[in-house]
Amino acid sequence: MGFFRQALVITVKDLRAEIRTKEAINASFAFALVILVLFSFAFDPLEDTTRDISGGLLWIVFAFAGTLILNRSFARELPNDCLDALIAAPISGAALFLGKSVANYLLLLAVELVSLPVFGIFYNVRWTTQFWQLMLVLVLGTWGLTLIGTFCSALTVNIRLREVMLPMLTYPALVPVLMGSMQLTMTLMAGKPIGPDMVPWLKLLAGFDLVFTAASLVLVEIVLVG
Amino acid sequence: MSAVAIEGVWKFYGDYPALRDVRLEAERGACLALIGRNGAGKTTLLRVVAGFSRPGRGKVQIFGNEPRETETRRQMGFIGHGISVYDELSAFENLMLYAKLYNLPNPKKSAMEWLERTGLERVRNGLVREFSRGMRQRLAVARAFLHEPTVLLLDEPFTALDDKAITVLQKLLKEALAAGKTIVMSTHQLREALELATHVALLNRGQVAFHGPRTPEMVSDPGYVYARYGEG
């Protein structure tokens, strides 16, 4: 079976399990909603400065809520020692990682897409003005977030304090992705398109995604087997 | 060429050597029973043989190849302490998942066949989380045998099994041995294990204290190996 078909089998398995239990997605969406509401109390939605920083707030919400999905990714394999069976199966660690990353990515995108209208209402932001460019930033930024989070989930899967360790490892590594995503989102939320001054941030996001996709696929076998 | 060759394997946890210069072999068609007290290193050794962790020193070969090679993994079946099936999926979905991962030519047919062989065909669409312990164990056995492995690595396979699951497993293991497959199993259930074993290895604090063919004395008195070669 080809590499991508193996990854697809893992993606389908993870999504099916998540759709049945809704453990991670419910928790993640509820958490995103709560933070959005709390932040709206802290910042006056009618002030211009709030709208200026709203893109940053949005990505902080995505990063926090995303951790709940990412933390479950490899932890889901622990209860019945399923990770052993996956490692024993004749599939590469890279296919396993890619399959899990794609499942996490779709779940995270779903949470983000549901959170966006809520965000628009609470922060009085017209987020649809530059809709397709915003989707591009979302797609690139979320893939970066997913990659780092899934990799760290694999890294911490056998650690007793993995819930603590995962954010500690993930957030510092996410700085470039979050910086790029925040800068671009803030511009788009202000109703401006991505101009030449913003293209370097877009390149940073795309470059980060490419480099970390390659690096994660190469390194994950060592992480899983040692 | 040995089916399983363990050559001078050391495994360290920090500075502690969990395995110390372990040398064992199992020929094609042999059943090697790994016995030893708790903490002797049986599970660690099986995990190294299965390729789940790498040895600090020494090497393991399955039919002359590294355990992590894709083709080697295709030949191995493993039953560990966990059942390695997903609670959120049905019995059929679990077996289909592994059948696809092992790239079996007809995943659906293989899954159905093993559900029948383990007596789970009537509950094939039931979620595993609704299964009794015995049913879950039988599904775990089906999962391990699904791809017709030539080397079976079993970590305390009879522990916590109900009577029906023990009967199913013993039948399958006897059939596997008759078909020339190789079994390496760690166990505390000496009576069941020694009935099947062709060879016995006693591990003591990470070292091989005894390795040899199973003898009639071992079958009649399961404590014989411990009494003769163990440390009290």
Side-chain angles (χ1 to χ4, degrees):
Chain A
M1 186 162 45
F3 176 84
F4 290 105
R5 281 202 62 192
Q6 290 173 341
L8 182 67
V9 170
I10 298 294
T11 302
V12 171
K13 184 270 292 177
D14 272 12
L15 288 177
R16 184 174 281 158
E18 180 54 37
I19 287 165
R20 296 235 167 102
T21 61
K22 297 181 186 67
E23 280 173 353
I25 200 157
N26 278 357
S28 180
F29 179 62
F31 190 59
L33 203 65
V34 167
I35 308 179
L36 282 171
V37 172
L38 288 177
F39 277 178
S40 76
F41 291 140
F43 304 100
D44 183 355
L46 297 175
E47 277 190 24
D48 285 344
T49 40
T50 305
R51 278 197 289 280
D52 286 346
I53 61 164
S54 60
L57 293 178
L58 186 67
W59 278 97
I60 289 173
V61 172
F62 290 166
F64 284 177
T67 310
L68 295 177
I69 289 175
L70 300 167
N71 196 26
R72 286 289 304 147
S73 183
F74 275 88
R76 185 192 301 285
E77 310 294 341
L78 289 180
N80 290 337
D81 287 348
C82 291
L83 191 57
D84 281 353
L86 291 182
I87 291 172
I91 65 165
S92 66
L96 174 60
F97 175 79
L98 185 66
K100 285 198 159 287
S101 296
V102 171
N104 291 337
Y105 181 62
L106 295 175
L107 292 171
L108 204 49
L109 270 182
V111 170
E112 290 173 358
L113 290 174
V114 177
S115 302
L116 266 174
V118 180
F119 168 77
I121 294 166
F122 279 117
Y123 294 85
N124 196 23
V125 171
R126 293 177 64 185
W127 58 277
T128 50
T129 315
Q130 300 291 342
F131 183 78
W132 293 112
Q133 291 194 4
L134 180 64
M135 287 303 112
L136 176 67
V137 174
L138 217 60
V139 162
L140 290 175
T142 307
W143 181 243
L145 204 160
T146 306
L147 270 181
I148 297 293
T150 310
F151 190 79
C152 291
S153 174
L155 205 61
T156 56
V157 66
N158 290 315
I159 295 175
R160 194 164 48 88
L161 293 173
R162 66 176 170 276
E163 287 87 356
V164 179
M165 288 305 293
L166 182 71
M168 282 175 68
L169 291 171
T170 307
Y171 293 139
L174 277 179
V175 169
V177 175
L178 289 179
M179 276 173 64
S181 303
M182 285 173 178
Q183 291 291 338
L184 290 161
T185 309
M186 282 191 283
T187 305
L188 296 170
M189 290 293 173
K192 297 176 208 159
I194 297 172
D197 56 328
M198 284 289 129
V199 169
W201 290 111
L202 202 59
K203 283 183 179 169
L204 173 77
L205 269 188
F208 184 95
D209 286 0
L210 273 175
V211 169
F212 274 84
T213 302
S216 305
L217 292 177
V218 170
L219 293 174
V220 75
E221 186 81 21
I222 298 165
V223 169
L224 290 173
V225 182
Chain B
M1 182 198 305
S2 301
V4 178
I6 302 161
E7 298 165 13
V9 164
W10 290 72
K11 178 74 188 174
F12 294 90
Y13 291 120
D15 291 335
Y16 177 74
L19 295 175
R20 292 186 272 182
D21 197 24
V22 173
R23 290 168 195 275
L24 289 171
E25 280 190 6
E27 299 300 324
R28 189 188 296 263
C31 174
L32 172 65
L34 291 173
I35 62 173
R37 307 279 182 214
N38 288 336
K42 303 185 296 296
T43 296
T44 304
L45 181 59
L46 274 177
R47 292 185 68 80
V48 169
V49 173
F52 297 159
S53 73
R54 296 186 201 279
R57 279 184 238 157
K59 66 177 178 179
V60 172
Q61 293 203 310
I62 311 288
F63 291 113
N65 297 315
E66 293 284 315
R68 288 303 299 161
E69 281 179 27
T70 308
E71 275 315 305
T72 313
R73 281 189 271 167
R74 210 180 291 284
Q75 295 178 344
M76 280 196 287
F78 183 83
I79 298 183
H81 288 179
I83 55 173
S84 297
V85 290
Y86 294 90
D87 287 341
E88 309 84 14
L89 303 184
S90 70
F92 179 69
E93 286 167 347
N94 266 294
L95 294 190
M96 278 294 283
L97 166 71
Y98 288 107
K100 284 178 183 170
L101 291 179
Y102 278 89
N103 201 18
L104 300 186
N106 192 339
K108 195 173 175 183
K109 186 168 167 270
S110 302
M112 288 306 294
E113 184 189 324
W114 278 97
L115 285 169
E116 264 176 49
R117 290 185 77 171
T118 49
L120 294 169
E121 72 277 19
R122 278 190 298 176
V123 289
R124 65 178 179 272
N125 293 322
L127 296 184
V128 172
R129 65 172 175 233
E130 294 159 359
F131 281 14
S132 69
R133 190 180 173 86
M135 288 157 76
R136 292 157 68 91
Q137 297 282 9
R138 274 184 278 149
L139 184 61
V141 171
R143 194 265 313 152
F145 281 81
L146 181 72
H147 58 288
E148 310 279 354
T150 49
V151 175
L152 284 154
L153 305 172
L154 315 173
D155 193 2
E156 297 182 26
F158 299 107
T159 303
L161 290 193
D162 66 6
D163 292 347
K164 191 169 180 182
I166 287 179
T167 310
V168 167
L169 182 58
Q170 275 184 325
K171 183 170 170 271
L172 290 173
L173 291 177
K174 279 176 188 163
E175 284 173 9
L177 280 178
K181 293 173 180 179
T182 308
I183 301 171
V184 180
M185 67 169 137
S186 77
T187 187
H188 288 294
Q189 260 96 334
L190 297 180
R191 202 168 291 281
E192 284 92 348
L194 291 174
E195 232 178 74
L196 286 164
T198 58
H199 291 75
V200 176
L202 172 67
L203 285 183
N204 193 5
R205 295 183 197 171
Q207 282 181 307
V208 179
F210 167 77
H211 178 215
R214 186 204 66 179
T215 60
E217 294 95 329
M218 295 176 190
V219 183
S220 55
D221 174 15
Y224 175 82
V225 182
Y226 282 110
R228 177 112 196 247
Y229 303 100
E231 277 188 3

